[in-house]
Amino acid sequence: MEIEQLKKEKLEQQEKEKLVQEKLEKEKIEKESIEKERFEKERIEQERIEQERIEQERIERERIERERIERERIERERIEKERIEKERIEKEELGKEQELKGQQKKDQENNITIDDQTEIEEKSKNNSIPKYRGLYLDIPLKTKKDKILIPSPENLSRFRLDALKRHNYYRKYHQVGPMELTDTLNDFAQKHAKTLAINDKIDFSSDEDRYEFCGGSTGENISHLFKTNDNFTINGAKLVDFWYENIKKYDFEKSNAKGNKMIANFTQVIHKVSTKLGIGLAKNSKSGDIFLVANYQAKGNILNSFKNNVFPVLLDEKIKQQMKRDLEEEKEKERKKTEELLKKAREREEERKER
């Protein structure tokens, strides 16, 4: 009996252990299932996040591409506008060269000379500002370098200072601040002047070259002076005077040129934003022609910028009175000169009759 009882208890014990084992196994399977579901949900969420990231990157790439296309379009338009503006200025320069050449020939025929160290009192041709009482300093260009002639450093420095003073002289009466010379702009202007003299041909430097060398947007005035005689010289003040003469072609009320006249050289000289200046010049040793370059920062002649940056002459009462006296003196001198010419003509006529 005892043996059977023991067997029975043993079987019950095994049955209990089996049930416990099955329960543990079932719990394990459930845990694995739950964990598997969790992993699956995490995987799905990660895939969703990754898809969103990929979509956002695609949208960002498309945005960047659209901006790049727009920038290229704007840059092409800018280059085209500058090309048109450059062609316009080149046409203006050609007209000025012919005008200056004719004036130089006329001066030579009339045997007009300028003493290097003599004070010149020249009244502005448009009667808008007082007489300039500075020195006109003609400089020789005799330093040989390859096929061009350049001034000595001392003479070049004098020329630049003369041009700077003349710029600031005009700028003062046009209600804008003074300019100052910079080594960078001087170097670039001289470099371009040498290039023009070597090629013996006038041409503007490229916007890209000016931007890269000078470190920013840079304006440019250039002139080509044709040889009139072997001793022909030029100075900084006369150069700026030549550019400033285009004031006669500028309409301050409309902030543009009168008719289709070219005024870029004048507006660049007195443009408010242009506060830095560089000057260069060189002469072709064969033709004798002189090439002059002025560079400005910031660039002044930008479309639609004239109204807020190019102002008319502003004079106080004292200066106006001085101008009035100057004009009266000039008329008196002209009257005396006319009387002297008439007197000489009468004397010659009487001598002719006596013979």
Side-chain angles (χ1 to χ4, degrees), residues 258-294:
K258 296 177 182 177
N260 295 319
K261 302 292 180 63
M262 301 303 180
I263 42 80
N265 284 339
F266 159 69
T267 53
Q268 179 61 85
V269 167
I270 65 164
H271 203 285
K272 178 181 177 181
V273 302
S274 301
T275 58
K276 297 179 180 179
L277 174 68
I279 300 288
L281 72 157
K283 181 178 182 179
N284 184 286
S285 58
K286 184 176 180 180
S287 69
D289 293 353
I290 298 176
F291 297 85
L292 305 108
V293 179

Side-chain angles (χ1 to χ4, degrees), residues 156-171:
L156 181 57
S157 177
R158 187 175 65 176
F159 182 94
R160 286 168 171 165
L161 287 174
D162 202 16
L164 174 66
K165 290 178 181 178
R166 198 64 168 125
H167 273 85
N168 290 337
Y169 173 79
Y170 285 127
R171 290 173 67 84

Side-chain angles (χ1 to χ4, degrees), residues 216-246:
S217 177
T218 306
E220 190 170 88
N221 278 353
I222 57 177
S223 284
H224 178 188
L225 306 185
F226 296 92
K227 173 186 175 182
T228 57
N229 57 66
D230 292 336
N231 297 319
F232 175 68
T233 59
I234 183 63
N235 65 65
K238 286 194 290 188
L239 171 65
V240 182
D241 284 346
F242 172 65
W243 290 335
Y244 185 82
E245 283 180 359
N246 283 327

Side-chain angles (χ1 to χ4, degrees), residues 339-353:
E339 289 179 353
E340 185 67 22
L341 290 173
L342 290 172
K343 181 180 178 181
K344 289 182 178 179
R346 286 194 295 268
E347 290 175 352
R348 285 196 298 269
E349 182 64 22
E350 290 175 358
E351 288 177 358
R352 186 182 65 78
K353 288 179 179 180

Side-chain angles (χ1 to χ4, degrees), residues 106-117:
K106 182 178 178 181
D107 290 348
Q108 186 180 10
E109 291 170 357
N110 294 330
N111 195 27
I112 294 176
T113 60
I114 297 179
D115 188 12
D116 285 354
Q117 301 293 332

Side-chain angles (χ1 to χ4, degrees), residues 128-169:
S128 62
I129 66 171
K131 293 180 180 180
Y132 178 58
R133 301 180 183 276
L135 293 180
Y136 284 107
L137 304 175
D138 286 336
I139 68 167
L141 290 85
K142 295 182 178 179
T143 307
K144 274 209 169 186
K145 188 169 184 180
D146 300 327
K147 58 188 291 189
I148 64 173
L149 301 173
I150 59 175
S152 67
E154 180 181 355
N155 283 335
L156 181 57
S157 177
R158 187 175 65 176
F159 182 94
R160 286 168 171 165
L161 287 174
D162 202 16
L164 174 66
K165 290 178 181 178
R166 198 64 168 125
H167 273 85
N168 290 337
Y169 173 79

